[in-house]
Amino acid sequence: MTERGLERSDADATYVFAVCRNPDPSAVVGLPGVTDEAPVSTLQLETLTAIVQTVRARDFTNEAWQARLCDEQELERYARAHHDVVSAVAACCPTVPLPMATLYQSEERAREALANEADRFHAALNRVAHHAEWGVKVYVPSCPPDDSSRSTTLTGRSRPAPGAGLAYLDRKRGAQERRERRQDEALQAAEAVDAEVRGLATASRRLRLHGPQPSGEQRVQILNATYLVAEHRADELTLLTQALRERTGAQIELSGPWVPYSFVGEV
């Protein structure tokens, strides 16, 4: 949502973190935001409020931002600063977070552009009010070591015993069948987990599955989903997750509560 023309400006720009309803102005007092040159503040949009900060436009030109994307530490600093402001506001009122580096040439331009989206912001705020986002991940447990390649029939001789080749193939086939059965059972458990959590949640989304971790962890992820859950049902979700672990035997990870980024829609 960065406004065109900023790359040609040496003046200030207005960085927008979020749009909300009836925030407590003290919620953002003392937050550094993405720059230490101006405080985080509020910008009134008739019935809505934007959370903003004045920044130097030249720090957010396409060239400057591309350089920042290549600097992992600097990008993480900006992302964390942006999220800290959004989280502080979301803790006190319904909030729609905006993408990182949403900028306008001035407060007036920001006010005008955001006011034009008022209906969409109100719809999103109504959807997430008194709700939080929770993540649920389900994994297939790592398989035990496959010892089918180790022959017990050699007994010191250079040639395998009669029938050893057939026995080896049988072991390999059995190991493959066990892996497939474990995968099928885990997939069924994941679908059961998703169905029951969806029954408790207001909305849900399936996310892209994560591949193997750099740590070498062998677990295979078979469900990566996020759920919009009413605040008063958070304890119920925790208990349900524990019950599903015990009932299905699945490896289930529950994370949250988070600001409901996944359920505010395209703004």
Side-chain angles (χ1 to χ4, degrees), residues 187-223:
L187 288 171
Q188 292 175 13
E191 291 301 322
V193 169
D194 180 55
E196 294 215 30
V197 178
R198 279 192 287 111
L200 181 149
T202 301
S204 66
R205 287 185 60 189
R206 290 282 189 105
L207 306 177
R208 181 176 59 85
L209 297 176
H210 293 163
Q213 300 300 306
S215 62
E217 184 181 37
Q218 296 301 309
R219 295 187 307 172
V220 176
Q221 189 176 92
I222 53 175
L223 177 68

Side-chain angles (χ1 to χ4, degrees), residues 45-67:
L45 312 170
E46 295 184 356
T47 56
L48 297 170
T49 302
I51 307 301
V52 302
Q53 186 174 33
T54 299
V55 298
R56 293 179 300 189
R58 65 176 179 270
D59 290 341
F60 290 88
T61 62
N62 289 336
E63 181 180 351
W65 194 248
Q66 287 301 318

Side-chain angles (χ1 to χ4, degrees), residues 68-87:
R68 195 170 289 123
L69 290 175
C70 296
D71 186 332
E72 185 175 341
Q73 289 186 337
E74 182 70 357
L75 182 61
E76 182 179 353
R77 185 185 74 80
Y78 267 86
R80 191 176 299 278
H82 182 95
H83 178 69
D84 286 348
V85 173
V86 171
S87 298

